[in-house]
Amino acid sequence: MYLADYHLHSSCSPDGHLPMEEIARLAVERGMDEICFTDHLDTIYWKDFSPCSEFDWPEALRQFQRAQERWGDRIKLKLGAEVGEVILSYERAQIQLDNAPELDFLIGSAHTTGAKFHYIDLYYMTREQESQYDAMLEDYLDGIRDLVLWGKFHVLGHLTLPLRILNEQLHMNMTFAPYMERVEEIFSIIIPKGIGIECNTNRGNTPLPDREILTLYRQMGGEIITLGSDAHHGRHVACAIKECQQLLKECGLRYFTTFHKGEPEFRPL
């Protein structure tokens, strides 16, 4: 069984806690064959939502080189990024991509609602907004549709991210079942483009997305899918990668995907 974690945040991300060298060490200890560093490449600064069009690539490349020197003979290391909040500024997103070195892999993701709710950070959703949850999720999916129409990335990250906040933080019991037509619309855009999805292992909690949506993706002809822990702390590196490989098999997939210089490599499950 080939094991790869394709969603990892180092201290080059504003919310990351470990240098790449330490993440690589943990991945080796936990039996990974390959990992990809995917630090946040955002169009805003999260602390105040002010515009952002820069990233400290010299530091990221320094960390990546040190990880390669220390652990590159024991694990395959790839460099990527998670391109976030694109719909807040396509111009700044393009600047971020133009300023990046050659990368192996890009996740496209959103962590906010869409324009109707003025790009509320999903992390700060509250129980007081419960009467608006349906409208907020529709708005989030509007933003995801706009993101995939832009489509300058390899996989769509954690499609059902709002459920992390609603169910794990706010103790709701929500699913994406009411929004499956919207999910189908999104898949009908990305699959012909050759854009895949991520099965985010969600640090050992319910995967994002889970079984129903993964099965739909396969039934619609989707084949490109990565597995990523979304680790920001050492304890989550490689979390539930093996378990989610089994989940993909149960959903009808025969392969998961790694990337090399933007090209997918299919790994048997």
Side-chain angles (χ1 to χ4, degrees):
M1 177 183 287
Y2 193 88
L3 298 173
D5 187 342
Y6 255 58
H7 194 151
L8 292 163
H9 294 281
S10 76
S11 55
C12 295
S13 288
D15 52 358
H17 294 269
L18 294 175
M20 294 182 190
E21 183 179 358
E22 178 65 8
I23 292 171
R25 181 188 70 80
L26 291 169
V28 168
E29 286 184 358
R30 294 168 190 174
M32 293 293 104
D33 297 288
E34 182 173 341
I35 60 173
C36 186
F37 300 103
T38 54
D39 285 306
H40 288 294
L41 197 63
D42 291 325
T43 65
I44 55 170
Y45 290 103
W46 281 100
K47 60 183 178 181
D48 58 9
F49 261 52
S50 60
C52 178
S53 56
E54 58 187 25
F55 179 81
D56 191 352
W57 283 113
E59 171 62 13
L61 291 171
R62 183 189 69 81
Q63 286 200 22
F64 187 70
Q65 182 177 355
R66 289 191 63 176
Q68 283 278 29
E69 291 170 352
R70 179 65 182 85
W71 298 105
D73 61 338
R74 298 183 62 183
I75 189 170
K76 188 176 291 186
L77 302 177
K78 299 295 179 67
L79 186 62
E82 180 179 7
V83 186
E85 291 29 272
V86 170
I87 64 171
L88 274 71
S89 175
Y90 296 104
E91 180 182 4
R92 291 197 299 274
Q94 189 61 56
I95 291 171
Q96 291 280 33
L97 294 181
D98 290 344
N99 289 341
E102 183 179 26
L103 299 174
D104 290 295
F105 175 64
L106 290 170
I107 300 171
S109 67
H111 303 82
T112 70
T113 61
K116 181 178 178 180
F117 280 87
H118 307 291
Y119 310 108
I120 294 172
D121 184 344
L122 297 171
Y123 186 81
Y124 295 106
M125 294 173 72
T126 67
R127 288 297 291 262
E128 287 71 30
Q129 296 168 315
E130 185 172 353
S131 64
Q132 297 180 297
Y133 285 166
D134 285 338
M136 292 174 80
L137 288 179
E138 289 280 2
D139 192 38
Y140 165 78
L141 289 168
D142 284 344
I144 293 294
R145 181 197 59 216
D146 292 344
L147 171 65
V148 299
L149 286 169
W150 180 74
K152 297 182 181 182
F153 50 88
H154 301 113
V155 304
L156 174 63
H158 47 53
L159 171 59
T160 54
L161 179 64
L163 299 183
R164 176 186 289 171
I165 291 84
L166 293 170
N167 295 343
E168 296 168 28
Q169 294 180 196
L170 301 179
H171 309 294
M172 303 295 291
N173 186 29
M174 297 188 68
T175 74
F176 261 42
Y179 316 106
M180 292 303 283
E181 287 187 7
R182 302 295 306 280
V183 173
E184 286 188 35
E185 177 190 12
I186 289 164
F187 288 167
S188 71
I189 296 169
I190 64 171
I191 291 171
K193 287 186 173 186
I195 296 171
I197 66 169
E198 171 192 49
C199 177
N200 187 297
T201 72
N202 196 21
R203 306 156 194 172
N205 296 301
T206 302
L208 308 171
D210 201 0
R211 186 179 304 269
E212 183 180 10
I213 290 176
L214 295 171
T215 301
L216 174 66
Y217 175 69
R218 182 66 195 105
Q219 290 173 343
M220 292 183 65
E223 295 184 309
I224 297 173
I225 187 162
T226 57
L227 292 147
S229 64
D230 207 355
H232 293 68
H233 299 267
R235 64 184 178 273
H236 295 135
V237 172
C239 185
I241 295 294
K242 289 182 181 179
E243 293 84 348
C244 285
Q245 282 205 22
Q246 179 60 34
L247 173 62
L248 295 188
K249 289 176 69 174
E250 294 170 4
C251 294
L253 288 137
R254 296 182 298 157
Y255 306 93
F256 75 98
T257 317
T258 58
F259 279 80
H260 178 67
K261 295 184 178 180
E263 294 298 321
E265 301 175 320
F266 293 93
R267 308 284 184 177
L269 288 164

